[in-house]
Amino acid sequence: MNTKLKRSYKIAPVLLCISLLFISGCWGKREVENLAPLIGIGFDLGEKPGTYLVTQQYARPKKGGSSGAEILQRTLGAEASSVREAFETVSKGAYRTPFMGSLKVIVIGEDFAKAGGFNDVLDFAQRFAEFRRSMYLVLARGRAEDILNLKLRSEHLSAIYINYIIEGGNELSTFPTVRLGHYLTVLGRQSTAPILPVVKSIKPGEGINYKAEKSGEAEELQIQGAGVLRGDRLVDFLNDDETKGYMWLENEVFNRFINTVDLEETTVKFSGQVLKSKTKYKLHTNNESKELYYQIKTSIAIDEIIGLNKQLSGTEWVKLAKEAEESFAKVIEKECEGAIKKQRELGQDFLGIGRHIEQRDPQYWKTIKDQWEEEIANFPVSLDVKVTVHHTGMSSSSATNSGGEGQD
Amino acid sequence: MERISVHQFITLGAAVLMGTTFLPVASIVTGVGGRDGWMSVLPGFALGIPYSLMILSLLEQYPSNNLLQISETLFGKLIGKLIGSFYILVAGYLGGLLLGQVGDIYQASIMPLTPLGVFYLGGIILVLLLIQSGIEVFARFSEVIFPLIVIALFLNIVLSIPRIEQGELLPILSEGFKPILVGAFKVMPFPLTYIIFLAGVIAFLPTGEKELKQLKSGVWRVVFMVGILDMLIVIIQILVFGPTETVRLVYGLLVLGKMVEISRTIAGVESVFLGVWFGAAVLKIGSLFFATNWGLEYVFGLKGIKWRLSLCVVFLGIAFRYVRGPSLILEIGLVDEYLIMPFVAIWIPALWGVAHWKKGVGIGRKETRSGGKG
Amino acid sequence: MGSWMKMIKELTIRPKGERKIRKSPSYSFDEDLNKPLSGETVKEILSKSSDVVFREFLLQGKERIPCMLVVVDGLVDKNLLDQFVLKPLMVDLVGHPELAQVTLANVIDKTMESLIPGIEVKKISKMGDAVDSILSGDSVIFFGSLTEAIVVGARGWANRGVNEPIAESVVKGPHEGFAETLRVNTSLLRRKIKHPSLRIISLKLGDMSNTDLVVTYIEKIASPDIVSEVLLRLSKIKMDSVIDVGYIEEMIEDNPYSPFPQVAYTERPDVLAGKLLEGKVGIMLDGTPITLVVPAILTQFLSVNEDYYQRAMTAILSRFVRYVGSFVAVVAPSVYIAVTTFHQEIIPTDLLMSISAGRQGVPFPALLEALTMTVVLEILQEAGLRLPKPIGQTIGIVGALIIGDAAVNAGLVSPLMVIIIGLTAVASYAIPYYDLSLAVRMMRFPLMILAGILGFFGVAMGLYAIAIHLLSLRSFGVPYTSPVAPLRIRAFLQDTFVRAPWWALKRRPQLMDVEEPRTNGKG
């Protein structure tokens, strides 16, 4: 009797489970085909003060022929004073539910960035559970709306295209990769100024030549340079070289192409590929003052030599490789100095020098922390670049003519 | 009488001690200790060791009794019953609050539109199933689930390594040791909640001399295993988020799970991770349910399914009282810090002290013998 | 009932004592059987069956004794009887000095001692025994009006040979399987374990069918607790007939409401021998090639005999595949449902697009789609199961290829769903035991529904509920989930998810609390 009773009590929860099934089951249930995956989102200043234009780029998957899905784009904008409101406005005209989990890129328009206040905008992205902190942040030259509405010749959605460029960025290491999580962490450091990569549309001839389908319109994208923020306001843009300098100093160079064409003091120019790079930081003490010392160690493989017009012997070749190392080091130094110069001009510590000091000498940092903004301009920094040329490719000396015209 | 083995004691202890601590711990210690917060985890957990050892020595003296019974024999009926009632109250209340947390986490993180009651109900059904199957099955459940929890945590930690920011742990000890000690104080309620469960479960432990030795070393292993795991969790969160963000994020580890990307195949594992977390929560709530149940049984003699079902209702009631997430988290913190900590901190040493004193006087010997038969 | 208990006591408490020849239970419903034994009464009872043969003859001893041989036609080896019973008694020995001394008083002893050269000869004195023996295929000789008779064992009937079992085929390993005849089966077992401690205990079950049953174990390896538990449970079975071990399985398992098999079975002598050597108890039944093995644990259903015949490395791989397969078979459809209807964020964007594109225009929600497809799969499996082989294959091809493809083309189901269901089906075939595979198929439906309502929370809930159920199961006192929980570290590491090489498997798996060395010598 007792065991029987016990058994029936064991069954009771199971019955409860079963009865649970018959309660209407549509809590938060969304069929995947009814979702509109949000890929990119752009922010610009709105017409009315206090509002902004939120451009949302959705992917619209369509049954493709043989290769699965074909992705069509659907980019909509709405002016609102909160992001949720903008989504509401857009949703009124769209039959699918916006799905934020697939958001790849947040594009911040130039004007909007300069006006400031996008931490408020980002709050939605970091609070709402569907978003991930691994999405990318980029600044747009011009309006974010234009970037997202760009009809690319490759027929990609521009947000996906930006995502691809950033994810391939390690091979170039010419612009910083900033995820939302990284941005928020940098904000948490207080002393460091956040930096965002800059995306811009390119018309034919603006750096890249191509044949546009509609003349006069931009149909390609490029990420180059970066923007420095103070708080959540864009202060200034870094040019390409300064951004590269930032990448060296921040130890973010993985692989890179590098050339010495702009060096005036050498006749033989080299191009190569950075195989790996490591930046170390040390805090030197000279008498009273401290100095941050960067030590950059880089391995480079030479891919191209220009201006070499005689055949070299083995020892000469070794000498040339040494020369190449010096040339490369000079280029790197130049880039880094550009970044440091910019940092001093702006008075913004986007290089994170303050953090480096804090990590190495927290006591000293406490004494200068409060007037760090003034200190940045003249805090001494020194640089040591060591380049090792691993190899010079598949050949030694370049092909030369037999002393004809034009040969020295 | 059901018995659990030494190994089961270890996994069960670890699972209950770990419980759901891995979610809030980073935010708590980092809030006090900043970048050095991770150092206060182990010292905080280590407090569990002396308490557990005291309980085990009581077990040696009074085998097959739980601490409530021992309290009654040592302090007399009235005080014993008073302690027992308080024990029931604390364990039941915390259990209900943790049940509420199941709903809060699920609703906040992955299933925003599902009613809270469903999560509560799902949790309490599993807990009831476990309770009805008895402590042995509960122990076996922990043997299966605890390794899963550990694996899930490790995966989460390892997969987050690509997201580590440069140098976030440095500088070490820039603020000195004081914040670490304060942080350790904040961690202390975690092991003490475990003591609540241990106070009841000792009645089911083996009492042979060899086993007692193993149990004692088991306690060390439990505390260090859980302490180190929690410490790793705090470290990875500081490394990835930096201290400011770690404090700010309510469920930091979940956010970490969201950031996991395994090449392009898997994007975010938080929903899978939450499944494992749910198992941990069921274990923890189950342990408190067991404790409450033992309390009712030994103090008031209330046994059987009727009282268990009404306990379920009480748990659900407490959970439903706190539908507001922030106030729930605050309440859990308050109960931990101002109810459980002082209660356990005084009760166990007092019990141990009196038991030792009586043993010294010689009254204890008789008690031991009668206890051994029972 | 009392004698049963006594026997159990004798068998388990004094394991060194000699094996008793068991007496069959008496018929209680037939008054005739309470009468004193005599040829006439037997004739009365059995003469209504045309297959019973009564051969009357005279024995020419000191006195002329009328004898009667009773056999069932078709169950006895007639040649054997002619050669060794009838011929000596009626022809060869006539005039022999031994025969000359025979009188009615000593005929039985004399016959047994020196007249019948058969091996199995014994004396009986009860009516029930006589009827039982005749119906089981033994031959009984009655002498005049004596109340005792002689049983001569000369069974012989049409027999299926020792073939390879269809349900348990192996690549590497012995190819013989049990047949339907109990004695053949015990002989196959005996040939694997030639040791005096192999115990083969005969019982009879079923009031009507009177089926022979054998409980077999290895003394000193099998736990006496388990053996006595098995015998006790068998003794409690009150059934009219026992046609197959399935009857027994349901009667002796611990939790009949569980979908999980708690009794293992095999058709192979090598598997049975292996299990007995691990300390398990086998139950063989006459008339079926299936042998039950108890106690059973969950992980045992995912290991096969070939694991032990292959080299350890490859065995580990195939075991791993089986575990993965069974997990996939349980959760694949429910995870698909949970992911596509609740947790789209876990899907990488590219895949999300193609799933979404694939589901464009599918009229059913994912849950209904998956449920329908699973039901279709079940129908296909059931349909193909009992058909003759060539037709069964056609069913598979028609079902899987044509219906599936047409459904996708018609936009009724999404292509990914077909993949998931196909994967599930294939994965469930990786489960070697059919019973477990059935249980897994049963688990799928509630999990799918839970996933459709509550997403991963539901899946987690369902899986935990299943886990709790499994953890609370016991098979003959052994926790079903051991050696995982409660953890038996040696068995867990050596022979659960992986199989250690044979030189490392020095101890038998620990079923209860004792751990035996596999070899008596160096441990």
Side-chain angles (χ1 to χ4, degrees), chain B residues 188-199:
Chain B
M188 268 155 58
F190 293 148
L192 294 184
T193 343
Y194 158 67
I195 296 296
I196 291 257
F197 175 66
L198 191 61

Side-chain angles (χ1 to χ4, degrees), chain C residues 11 15-17 19 189-190 192-201 215-223 227 273 276-277 279-281 508 516 518 520:
Chain C
L11 282 169
K16 279 181 187 168
R19 183 158 62 93
L189 175 64
R190 183 61 87 177
K192 300 273 177 213
I193 304 172
K194 294 158 196 139
H195 196 274
S197 57
L198 173 70
R199 293 276 176 270
I200 297 179
I201 297 168
V215 174
T216 174
Y217 61 94
I218 298 177
E219 200 179 301
K220 289 176 188 157
I221 295 178
S223 145
V227 175
L276 294 187
L277 287 166
K280 299 197 168 158
V281 179
R508 300 180 199 287
E516 290 278 338
R518 271 190 204 259
N520 288 327

Side-chain angles (χ1 to χ4, degrees), chain B residues 349-370:
Chain B
L351 203 61
W352 183 76
V354 171
H356 260 247
W357 173 70
K358 283 207 173 169
K359 194 179 173 190
V361 173
I363 307 165
R365 192 159 297 164
K366 219 183 274 169
E367 306 273 5
T368 316
R369 208 170 295 144
S370 66

Side-chain angles (χ1 to χ4, degrees), chain A residues 122-176:
Chain A
L122 292 182
D123 191 69
F124 179 56
Q126 61 96 17
R127 188 176 300 280
F128 186 53
E130 269 182 20
F131 289 110
R132 310 179 165 273
R133 291 160 75 96
S134 46
M135 68 180 88
Y136 298 109
L137 297 182
V138 286
L139 283 173
R141 281 273 189 179
R143 288 173 72 80
E145 189 191 9
D146 296 338
I147 296 279
L148 286 177
N149 274 317
L150 212 61
K151 276 222 160 26
L152 290 172
R153 296 197 308 150
S154 58
E155 293 186 338
H156 278 110
L157 271 66
S158 40
I160 291 187
Y161 199 70
I162 295 172
N163 183 42
Y164 285 160
I165 299 180
I166 294 178
E167 283 185 348
N170 274 357
E171 288 167 27
L172 278 176
S173 296
T174 55
F175 56 85

Side-chain angles (χ1 to χ4, degrees), chain C residues 28-99:
Chain C
S28 54
F29 57 85
D30 203 330
E31 278 184 14
D32 286 339
L33 296 179
N34 292 329
K35 290 181 184 166
L37 181 66
S38 79
E40 289 309 306
T41 331
V42 170
K43 203 169 178 178
E44 254 170 54
I45 297 173
L46 295 176
S47 60
K48 279 166 200 146
S49 309
S50 61
D51 60 337
V52 184
V53 177
F54 304 91
R55 171 73 167 88
E56 292 175 25
F57 60 94
L58 276 178
L59 194 62
Q60 308 274 3
K62 210 172 185 178
E63 300 166 16
R64 289 164 70 89
I65 306 165
C67 304
M68 182 167 68
L69 175 71
V70 188
V71 295
V72 177
D73 193 13
L75 290 187
V76 290
D77 190 334
K78 282 182 192 161
N79 272 334
L80 217 65
L81 278 181
D82 287 350
Q83 286 265 302
F84 297 105
V85 180
L86 294 181
K87 207 169 161 223
L89 293 183
M90 291 164 70
V91 183
D92 291 352
L93 296 175
V94 175
H96 194 274
E98 286 282 336
L99 187 58

Side-chain angles (χ1 to χ4, degrees), chain B residues 4 8-10 12-14 16-17 48-59 65-68 70 87 135 191-205 215 218-219 222-223 284 287-288 290-291 294 344 347-348:
Chain B
I4 59 178
Q8 286 175 333
F9 168 74
I10 292 173
L12 188 57
V16 172
L17 177 58
I49 295 174
Y51 277 85
S52 310
L53 290 181
M54 272 188 247
I55 292 182
L56 286 180
S57 88
L58 282 169
L59 165 72
N65 274 331
N66 61 32
L67 284 197
L68 299 175
I70 298 172
Y87 176 88
I135 186 84
L192 294 184
T193 343
Y194 158 67
I195 296 296
I196 291 257
F197 175 66
L198 191 61
V201 85
I202 55 162
F204 301 97
L205 292 183
L215 286 177
V219 163
V222 165
V223 169
K284 181 86 188 184
S287 76
L288 290 166
F290 261 113
W294 290 323
V344 177
W347 179 36
I348 306 293

